[in-house]
Amino acid sequence: MSSDDPMLAVEATAGDVVLISVRGSLDGWSGCDGLARAAQGEAKRTVVDSSGLTFADSAALHALLHGRRKHTATGMPLVLAGPLHTTVHRLFEITGTREASRFVDSVEQARTC
């Protein structure tokens, strides 16, 4: 799995984990396809490293929620790793979607939770 998006890096890591690193400002992000493909792969979990993400809009939120639904349907965990930037954390809080996803403080925690 790979990406041509400079804000997104996708890699398979040891332990059957797909690590998707996002950074910068995700406004108008269409990452739904990448997250959905990760749910259908051979890995045992997908980790989204959100620690470098400074801003996300409703399109980014939609991509994450769509990816979560695809992962739930296949029984594969999707974990968002932080720490989250204040503006990103606020997006989840004000939209009431914080409880819809699994959040942990670091990629290391996400690999094993």
Side-chain angles (χ1 to χ4, degrees):
M1 183 182 301
S2 66
S3 172
D4 295 327
D5 185 344
M7 301 286 187
L8 182 70
V10 181
E11 65 180 84
T13 64
D16 296 326
V17 173
V18 173
L19 176 62
I20 299 174
S21 299
V22 290
R23 62 186 181 281
S25 178
L26 292 183
D27 43 356
W29 184 45
S30 59
C32 292
D33 292 339
L35 288 172
R37 279 193 311 273
Q40 297 168 351
E42 300 287 325
K44 295 194 184 331
R45 84 177 47 238
T46 300
V47 174
V48 178
D49 179 1
S50 308
S51 62
L53 186 59
T54 57
F55 175 81
D57 68 359
S58 60
L61 180 62
H62 171 75
L64 289 169
L65 293 174
H66 177 75
R68 185 191 57 81
R69 282 191 299 276
K70 292 292 186 181
H71 278 74
T72 299
T74 62
M76 180 186 210
L78 173 66
V79 184
L80 302 176
L84 294 180
H85 189 276
T86 304
T87 58
V88 177
H89 184 265
R90 183 159 166 73
L91 174 67
F92 285 101
E93 291 294 324
I94 64 174
T95 59
T97 56
R98 176 86 166 101
E99 300 303 317
S101 297
R102 180 189 284 173
F103 291 90
V104 295
D105 292 332
S106 70
V107 170
E108 291 75 28
Q109 285 180 326
R111 291 178 193 272
T112 60
C113 68

